[in-house]
Amino acid sequence: MKTCLIVDDSRVIRKVSRHLLEAMGFAVSEAADGKEALEACDAAMPDVILLDWNMPVMSGIDFLGQLRARPDGDATKVVFCTTENDVAHIKAAIEAGANEYVMKPFDQETLQIKLQLVGVA
Amino acid sequence: MQVTPAAVRILAELLEEFTGQELTQTRQWRVGTALSSVMREHDCADLNALAARIAGNYRSPLARQVVEALLNNETYFFRDLAVFQDLQDTVLPALAQARAEKRRLSIWCAGCSTGQEALSLAMMLAENTAIWNDWQVEILATDVSESAIRSARKGCYNQFQIQRGLDIARMLRWFTETEDGWVASEKLRNRITYVTHNILETPPTTRRFDLVLCRNVLLYFDTATRKKAYARLDSALAEDGYLLLGGGEAVRGHTGLFMPEKGRPSFQRPAAASARSGADAMAAVR
Ligand SMILES: C[S@@+](CC[C@H](N)C(=O)[O-])C[C@H]1O[C@@H](n2cnc3c(N)ncnc32)[C@H](O)[C@@H]1O
């Protein structure tokens, strides 16, 4: 079973995303900010991370920078999932090492195809 | 409100006349939803009233609007990713070899809806400069729906459409963000000609295409209409060309004009002359 870490400060969004991803057959875990997400990665590196941008404590982009700097931080696929929908943000995310980008709102099929594109679904 | 059989018959007849499509039982329950905005716009209390308005006047703008609303235009970029991979890895290189002398490639997207399929092809071809650089590549994209073709010509996609199937690198490379949405680059759009056209009629040009895509269109036709469509597509395809159908659409049992490729069931090749039945080839003219 593939594993997915959902990183989002909104409990509602985490719940909805968990629902979608479990329906796609992922084993899901959650983190409420970048720092929690790094701790989760210390415990077990997931196959894919669904990452919000704006979060307290540590933002998504800062988390991504730290993840990719780790020796074991390259293999995990990172899909940004955010309301920051302009080209500048998207480019910054790709530069920081994101594999895909989903603009909120989105539906299940869109997410599923994006996960196929990064090779985890 | 009960929809009368007479009203259903009128709507079915109208759809069939313009598109060849069947209004099957399973589609009937969606008709009310599909037509709700048309009914509102034209002050029709229910489907019976709407049907009464178009009865005997199938050429009216209202009738046209009803047909457009009944069509399913669902599509997205790189739909069936594996098939596009096959195109890229095997079918297009084979065509490049076969057409190496003339360096000309003609593609027809039949039932192109709002253009995502044709643009997906155009992106793939434009990215593969090693093969197609100095070739003359033309993509003709047609649909029976005027509104779909209008929107395809604009090449502008909202947030929902743009991220459906399209990877983020390609979105950044080939589309520009505007106030109205994401607009496909001129370079892609210049390769594609969009035309309103019904598959069941004579092909839009006398040229033979090297590759014809007709995906997720034929499934709405009954067996006889499908035979007719196959005969039309066959008459537009080069002898060594490829016909690409949607996932799960099969030629077997529907026509003797095509044979599925071994190992790639979405790709059809024209059947050998000896295997063709005259009846299948003549289906178009009936
Ligand atoms: C479900 S969409 C598929 C679009 C695209 N080929 C794809 O696979 O994503 C089917 C399209 O076929 C068009 N269509 C239906 N009947 C047609 C006909 N008789 N001639 C041409 N196009 C037709 C519809 O208008 C619609 O846009």
Side-chain angles (χ1 to χ4, degrees):
Chain A
M1 202 183 226
K2 293 252 165 100
T3 51
C4 177
L5 173 65
I6 300 168
V7 190
D8 202 307
D9 57 336
S10 153
R11 196 178 323 146
V12 177
I13 295 209
R14 289 202 305 271
K15 197 173 159 193
V16 173
S17 303
R18 169 186 281 276
H19 211 76
L20 294 181
L21 286 154
E22 283 179 349
M24 291 176 210
F26 284 90
V28 177
S29 52
E30 299 179 19
D33 59 56
K35 191 163 162 285
E36 271 188 24
L38 281 174
E39 284 159 16
C41 289
D42 282 339
M45 200 56 96
D47 295 308
V48 61
I49 299 175
L50 220 57
L51 186 61
D52 188 18
W53 195 293
N54 281 314
M55 291 175 292
V57 189
M58 186 191 287
S59 73
I61 197 87
D62 290 343
F63 160 78
L64 181 56
Q66 297 211 19
L67 174 76
R68 291 305 190 215
R70 292 165 57 133
D72 62 342
D74 269 342
T76 293
K77 305 291 180 188
V78 173
V79 178
F80 255 103
C81 220
T82 167
T83 46
E84 308 296 334
N85 293 346
D86 55 286
V87 171
H89 274 92
I90 299 174
K91 281 191 174 153
I94 303 296
E95 230 150 76
N99 301 90
E100 263 301 333
Y101 205 99
V102 181
M103 303 178 270
K104 284 180 191 160
F106 59 89
D107 67 353
Q108 173 165 5
E109 210 178 350
T110 298
L111 179 61
Q112 187 152 18
I113 300 169
K114 287 281 187 183
L115 293 174
Q116 273 169 21
L117 287 173
V118 300
V120 292
Chain B
M1 188 267 313
Q2 196 67 38
V3 187
T4 65
V8 173
R9 210 194 54 237
I10 288 167
L11 295 172
E13 215 173 76
L14 176 70
L15 183 68
E16 148 95 60
E17 168 150 339
F18 278 93
T19 72
Q21 291 191 15
E22 250 187 314
L23 194 62
T24 51
Q25 287 280 324
T26 46
R27 281 177 82 191
Q28 283 180 21
W29 67 270
R30 262 177 293 199
V31 165
T33 325
L35 293 177
S36 61
S37 73
V38 181
M39 288 191 279
R40 223 174 305 123
E41 188 185 329
H42 294 273
D43 278 330
C44 295
D46 53 30
L47 284 174
N48 300 331
L50 182 66
R53 285 269 286 281
I54 51 180
N57 196 3
Y58 288 174
R59 305 272 145 196
S60 69
L62 175 59
R64 181 78 227 177
Q65 212 182 334
V66 168
V67 172
E68 298 271 338
L70 286 175
L71 291 172
N72 175 356
N73 294 135
E74 149 106 358
T75 186
Y76 53 91
F77 290 103
F78 293 94
R79 183 175 190 172
D80 302 331
L81 204 52
V83 165
F84 275 93
Q85 205 59 53
D86 262 344
L87 265 176
Q88 169 139 316
D89 295 345
T90 46
V91 174
L92 287 171
L95 282 170
Q97 213 160 39
R99 301 290 181 270
E101 212 163 292
K102 289 204 171 130
R103 304 181 89 69
R104 184 180 167 166
L105 185 72
S106 305
I107 300 177
W108 179 20
C109 281
C112 65
S113 189
T114 39
Q116 286 90 327
E117 182 175 83
L119 282 169
S120 303
L121 276 170
M123 281 184 258
M124 260 178 43
L125 293 163
E127 285 162 6
N128 203 342
T129 45
I131 301 189
W132 306 110
N133 201 14
D134 51 352
W135 282 57
Q136 192 185 341
V137 178
E138 301 147 323
I139 302 174
L140 176 70
T142 64
D143 199 286
V144 76
S145 159
E146 284 168 7
S147 59
I149 289 296
R150 258 200 311 276
S151 141
R153 283 197 184 119
K154 284 198 193 118
C156 181
Y157 301 90
N158 65 26
Q159 185 177 302
F160 175 75
Q161 296 170 312
I162 196 70
Q163 62 178 347
R164 241 176 136 214
L166 191 61
D167 60 271
I168 202 73
R170 279 189 168 122
M171 184 183 96
L172 290 177
R173 174 167 181 190
W174 294 111
F175 293 80
T176 311
E177 193 185 17
T178 72
E179 261 178 27
D180 303 323
W182 295 82
V183 179
S185 81
E186 198 108 316
K187 185 169 175 198
L188 296 181
R189 282 156 61 205
N190 285 344
R191 278 214 171 150
I192 309 171
T193 311
Y194 289 106
V195 179
T196 309
H197 172 264
N198 183 343
I199 285 176
L200 300 172
E201 272 150 30
T202 323
T205 84
T206 51
R207 191 174 65 223
R208 294 270 182 158
F209 294 93
D210 306 305
L211 172 65
V212 174
L213 284 77
C214 186
R215 305 195 308 151
N216 308 298
V217 180
L218 302 181
L219 73 164
Y220 299 103
F221 296 155
D222 65 18
T223 309
T225 312
R226 221 176 272 201
K227 260 197 193 323
K228 194 164 161 172
Y230 279 124
R232 291 299 195 197
L233 294 170
D234 175 65
S235 73
L237 189 66
E239 266 172 39
D240 59 347
Y242 294 79
L243 168 66
L244 177 48
L245 298 177
E249 294 176 305
V251 287
R252 244 183 253 288
H254 289 291
T255 182
L257 295 175
F258 295 97
M259 290 292 288
E261 273 259 283
K262 256 211 194 83
R264 282 197 297 272
S266 290
F267 290 91
Q268 320 298 321
R269 309 301 301 274
S274 56
R276 291 164 163 252
S277 97
D280 280 335
M282 288 299 287
V285 290
R286 278 202 302 265

